[in-house]
Amino acid sequence: MNCPCKHKPEHADRASSETKPDRYVSFIGLDCDAKADRLVKRIFSQIETHDVPPFWTYFKKKAAGELGPRPDALLLIHSHLNDIRELFELLDDAEGVSLLERIEQECC
């Protein structure tokens, strides 16, 4: 008996040959985990070097798993998109905003 779960979907090859990866077809080529890790490192760098609201202490504890199960970086970002955007805009971090928007469009 052939199990369909062990076969590659028909559209899997299309995702790797497209010039622009599409999350609605496949996450192949999007490298969402690496982008999310890079963004979280950027957030930590910003909150360590600037005077930020107390929310960011909570964010650090949540990211470390001190307040429950440790979320992966992508879940953490997805859960706090607006807070992160507000932080980067407050600090005039255009590169941070750009990376956040890319993750939001491609990965969330």
Side-chain angles (χ1 to χ4, degrees):
M1 174 183 216
N2 289 333
C3 177
C5 64
K6 294 186 180 193
H7 297 288
K8 193 163 62 167
E10 293 176 25
H11 62 278
D13 290 331
R14 270 190 287 148
S16 61
S17 65
E18 292 178 359
T19 57
K20 182 178 179 188
D22 182 351
R23 70 180 172 159
Y24 295 109
V25 175
S26 172
F27 284 97
I28 294 172
L30 294 176
D31 205 12
C32 293
D33 290 332
K35 288 176 190 161
D37 289 339
R38 208 165 59 240
L39 186 69
V40 169
K41 286 178 185 173
R42 186 173 198 89
I43 292 166
F44 286 164
S45 174
Q46 292 288 28
I47 63 179
E48 302 268 331
T49 58
H50 293 89
D51 186 27
V52 294
F55 167 79
W56 295 103
T57 301
Y58 160 79
F59 182 90
K60 283 176 55 177
K61 288 180 180 179
K62 183 176 180 180
E66 293 178 28
L67 304 173
R70 184 174 184 242
D72 64 53
L74 193 56
L75 175 61
L76 189 64
I77 292 165
H78 183 76
S79 299
H80 297 287
L81 281 168
N82 293 327
D83 301 304
I84 297 166
R85 184 181 328 282
E86 184 179 303
L87 173 71
F88 288 146
E89 289 173 353
L90 176 71
L91 301 175
D92 292 321
D93 185 348
E95 190 175 326
V97 170
S98 177
L99 181 56
L100 176 64
E101 287 176 352
R102 187 168 179 198
I103 290 169
E104 185 176 12
Q105 291 298 314
E106 294 178 2
C107 304
C108 289

